[in-house]
Structures are given as C-alpha cells and as structure tokens.
C-alpha cells in the first residue's frame, strides 16, 4: 500500500511544502548563479525514470561552459566554480528537483537517475533500479555516494527496490540531512565528478 499510494502522497506533500519553505533560497541562488554563469542558473538534462521513461531533470548549474581554443569544454575540475563547489557540497543544487517530484517524474527517495546512455549497458540485475521512480536521495547516497564503486551502487539500488517501506524512506531522509551537514562523500576519490559507467 505504501509503495503504490502513500509514497506518492507523501512525496507530493513534502515537496510542496519544501518548495514553499525553500523558495527564498531558491530565488537567491537563481540570481547568484545567473550572474556567476553568465545567464545560466539551471542545468537541464535528459534522464531515465521509472521503466526507463525519459524525463528532464532540473538542477542548479555548478559548472560554467568555458572551452579551450579548439572549442572543447574544459575538464570538470576547471569549470567547477567556487559558488558551484559550495552549492554542490551543501547539496543545494538538488533543490530544483522538488519540481520534478511535484510533477511525478521523481520521488524524494529512490535510486538516483543516471544517464540515458547507460540504459543499454545495464545487466538485467542492474536494470531493476528502474522498477521504481528515481529519487533526489537514495540508499546509495547514505551509504557511500560517490565514494563507492558502480557495482556496489547497483547492489544498493536493487536492495532498496526490494525493501521499500515508510520506515526505510524516513531513515534515508534523516541520514541524508546528516550527510549534507557533514558534506560527506560528495566526490569520488581524486576526481571532481564520478567516473562514467562503462558497462563492466
């Protein structure tokens, strides 16, 4: 019953009030990022949701679009701005996804939505992460986040799919708050962003 009905109801209620409460911060960040990123405060990207259905995820943009002399984007570490680094460490870049939750594309808790390119690389086991809606936070985010391997992430995602409950979601949300306060596991070891999944 929780998975089929109450989870969506709780998602909508919490994201609705969360959006209202965070609206002042939202507007301030939009203005700061508009200035910092030359008019581009948002990062919009196609991601697969439940059943692999593609939707547009909305985040605050933490990297600029600076390119080298050949027109190629500079490495992530060089494009991550000081403001962007702060926003990422505090997970404020995820705030706009509350709108994705209100729309119904995402849940507050679930496997993080990855890139569409990965869909053809998943094993049948790994693909089970798409049996539920993706989340703003999830079991992976409170158990290592970017500091663990892809194999471990998929293992945790599928474990969550098989054990969804109100108690588990509440536990994940609570632990997420603690993680955000401590700024734990934001980056993978020695890299600014996680290495792409290669299907292995």
């Amino acid at each position: 019953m929780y998975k089929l009905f109450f989870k969506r109801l709780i998602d909508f209620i919490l994201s609705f009030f969360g959006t209202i409460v965070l609206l002042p911060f939202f507007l301030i960040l939009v203005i700061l990022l508009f200035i910092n990123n030359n008019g581009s405060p948002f990062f919009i990207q196609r991601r697969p949701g439940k059943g692999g259905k593609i939707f547009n995820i909305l985040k605050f943009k933490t990297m600029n679009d600076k390119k080298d002399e050949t027109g190629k984007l500079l490495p992530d570490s060089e494009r991550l701005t000081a403001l962007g680094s702060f926003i990422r460490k505090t997970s404020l870049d995820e705030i706009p996804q509350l709108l994705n939750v209100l729309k119904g594309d995402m849940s507050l808790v679930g496997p993080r939505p990855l890139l569409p390119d990965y869909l053809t690389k998943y094993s049948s086991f790994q693909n089970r992460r798409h049996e539920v809606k993706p989340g703003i936070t999830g079991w992976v985010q409170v158990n290592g986040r970017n500091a663990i391997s892809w194999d471990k992430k998929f293992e945790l995602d599928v474990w969550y799919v098989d054990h969804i409950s109100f108690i588990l979601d509440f536990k994940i949300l609570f632990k997420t708050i603690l993680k955000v306060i401590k700024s734990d596991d934001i980056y993978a070891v020695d890299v600014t962003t996680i290495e792409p999944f290669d299907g292995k």
Side-chain angles (χ1 to χ4, degrees):
M1 182 64 75
Y2 172 73
K3 182 178 178 179
L4 297 176
F5 177 72
F6 287 108
K7 183 174 173 65
R8 171 57 184 159
L9 179 62
I10 293 173
D11 278 342
F12 186 86
I13 293 173
L14 291 182
S15 58
F16 177 78
F17 285 103
T19 300
I20 293 176
V21 171
L22 294 173
L23 186 59
F25 298 99
F26 186 95
L27 295 176
I28 291 173
L29 287 175
V30 167
I31 294 172
L32 291 176
L33 288 170
F34 184 86
I35 297 171
N36 196 63
N37 296 334
N38 298 317
S40 301
F42 296 109
F43 174 77
I44 301 174
Q45 190 175 53
R46 289 163 58 81
R47 298 288 178 91
K50 184 177 180 180
K53 181 181 179 181
I54 303 298
F55 71 97
N56 289 321
I57 194 172
L58 184 65
K59 300 178 70 173
F60 280 131
K61 191 172 183 179
T62 57
M63 292 188 288
N64 58 42
D65 297 318
K66 290 184 178 180
K67 302 177 181 179
D68 60 23
E69 59 276 4
T70 65
K72 183 179 179 180
L73 285 173
L74 294 173
D76 290 352
S77 59
E78 295 181 37
R79 294 189 296 116
L80 181 65
T81 64
L83 176 61
S85 180
F86 169 78
I87 290 175
R88 188 178 293 189
K89 285 181 178 179
T90 54
S91 294
L92 292 173
D93 56 322
E94 313 289 358
I95 290 178
Q97 289 168 58
L98 289 173
L99 301 178
N100 286 120
V101 176
L102 285 173
K103 185 180 176 183
D105 292 325
M106 295 179 65
S107 175
L108 290 174
V109 180
R112 283 294 297 163
L114 302 175
L115 298 175
D117 294 346
Y118 296 170
L119 287 173
T120 59
K121 300 178 180 180
Y122 294 141
S123 66
S124 57
F125 174 80
Q126 294 167 343
N127 197 50
R128 289 198 59 212
R129 69 194 312 279
H130 296 294
E131 291 179 11
V132 298
K133 289 181 180 179
I136 293 179
T137 187
W139 195 228
V140 169
Q141 281 59 51
V142 298
N143 284 284
R145 198 175 179 178
N146 289 336
I148 59 177
S149 69
W150 279 110
D151 283 343
K152 185 62 177 179
K153 287 182 180 182
F154 291 130
E155 179 184 324
L156 293 172
D157 281 340
V158 176
W159 186 92
Y160 172 80
V161 171
D162 289 333
H163 295 83
I164 290 177
S165 69
F166 172 75
I167 297 299
L168 179 59
D169 279 0
F170 179 82
K171 179 180 179 180
I172 291 172
L173 287 172
F174 179 74
K175 285 192 171 184
T176 297
I177 293 173
L178 296 181
K179 286 279 185 180
V180 169
I181 293 174
K182 296 179 181 178
S183 297
D184 281 347
D185 308 321
I186 301 299
Y187 306 118
V189 179
D190 297 327
V191 295
T192 303
T193 54
I194 192 69
E195 289 297 316
F197 174 60
D198 59 9
K200 297 180 180 178

